Amino acid sequence: QSQLEESGGGLVQPGGSLRLSCGTSGFSLDAFAIGWFRQSPGKGREGISCISYQGDGRNYADSVKGRFTISRDNAKNTVYLQMNSLKPEDTAIYSCAANWSPVPGICALDKGRYAVWGQGTQVTVSS
C-alpha cells in the first residue's frame, strides 16, 4: 500500500535550520494538496502548513509563519518544508499528509481532510 515518507529531521540548536522532505514512490502527488503536521506530548497533532496541488496556494499556522516555508516540485514528486529560526517549542514529530484536491490555490490545515499519511520524522531543537 502506498504511503508518504518524510526525511530531514534531526537534532538542531535553537536558531538553526532544517529542511524536511516528503515523497512517495507509490503514487503521483500532482493532484494532491499536501499538509505538514506536527505532534508532541504536550500539544497533540497540529497543522502547521499546506500547499495546493499546483503550488499556487499556501497556508501557515501562526506559530510558524515567517519562519517556515513550504514548497513543492511535482516533477520530483516531492514536497519540502524549510524550517528556519527554530525554537525549542518546535520540537515534535513532523508528518506529511496528502489530500486529493485538484482545486487551484486551495489547501487546508485541518487534519481531517488528509487521507494518506507518512510515519513522521523527529525534529528536536535543543542546546
Side-chain angles (χ1 to χ4, degrees):
Q1 287 73 27
S2 61
Q3 68 178 89
L4 304 180
E5 297 181 356
E6 304 92 342
S7 63
L11 175 64
V12 64
Q13 294 184 350
S17 298
L18 287 172
R19 189 184 73 163
L20 306 183
S21 298
C22 171
T24 180
S25 61
F27 61 98
S28 176
L29 298 178
D30 62 1
F32 292 82
I34 303 296
W36 283 98
F37 301 81
R38 66 187 183 187
Q39 57 183 328
S40 60
K43 200 170 185 179
R45 183 163 288 172
E46 173 192 18
I48 58 172
S49 188
C50 63
I51 187 166
S52 62
Y53 82 105
Q54 291 184 327
D56 57 343
R58 296 170 173 85
N59 284 308
Y60 298 94
D62 289 340
S63 58
V64 306
K65 192 174 298 182
R67 299 187 297 121
F68 292 10
T69 302
I70 191 169
S71 62
R72 70 189 301 162
D73 186 342
N74 284 344
K76 297 181 178 179
N77 211 38
T78 303
V79 177
Y80 305 98
L81 185 68
Q82 179 67 45
M83 306 187 296
N84 298 327
S85 302
L86 284 163
K87 306 174 181 179
E89 51 262 46
D90 294 318
T91 296
I93 298 173
Y94 285 72
S95 301
C96 62
N99 176 42
W100 180 77
S101 182
V103 182
I106 297 295
C107 73
L109 291 174
D110 53 312
K111 63 182 184 295
R113 297 183 180 271
Y114 294 85
V116 181
W117 292 78
Q119 76 284 355
T121 184
Q122 178 70 48
V123 172
T124 302
V125 185
S126 176
S127 298

